[in-house]
Amino acid sequence: MDSTTVAALSGNIATIGYGLAAIGPAIGVGIVVGKTIESVARQPELQGRLQVLMYIGIAFTEALALIGIATYYLFTTGQ
């Protein structure tokens, strides 16, 4: 391997790991919000209850992103 290849491979893999870990919560939040909108369209009288459940679902889904951030910092500061 020459010096350019080594320079391209140097760095921390945790940054890529966090980027991949953020994809899951983004998709999850999109699904939660989309299903809530669909449910409100079907039964508008339940909007308040569904909105509360949506926020709880978003909080649990975003907890995955926070775990990804914590893991990133755990692996980057441990070196």
Side-chain angles (χ1 to χ4, degrees):
M1 293 172 57
D2 60 351
S3 62
T4 57
T5 305
V6 173
L9 295 177
S10 67
N12 195 346
I13 196 73
T15 56
I16 295 171
Y18 174 67
L20 293 175
I23 293 172
I27 292 171
V29 168
I31 290 172
V32 168
V33 172
K35 293 296 182 177
T36 302
I37 291 171
E38 181 180 328
S39 299
V40 169
R42 290 175 186 255
Q43 292 186 334
E45 66 273 4
L46 293 177
Q47 179 183 2
R49 296 174 91 186
L50 292 172
Q51 192 171 16
V52 170
L53 290 173
M54 177 189 72
Y55 288 136
I56 292 171
I58 288 173
F60 283 137
T61 306
E62 286 298 322
L64 297 173
L66 294 175
I67 290 170
I69 290 172
T71 306
Y72 166 73
Y73 283 116
L74 179 74
F75 287 131
T76 56
T77 57
Q79 295 179 354

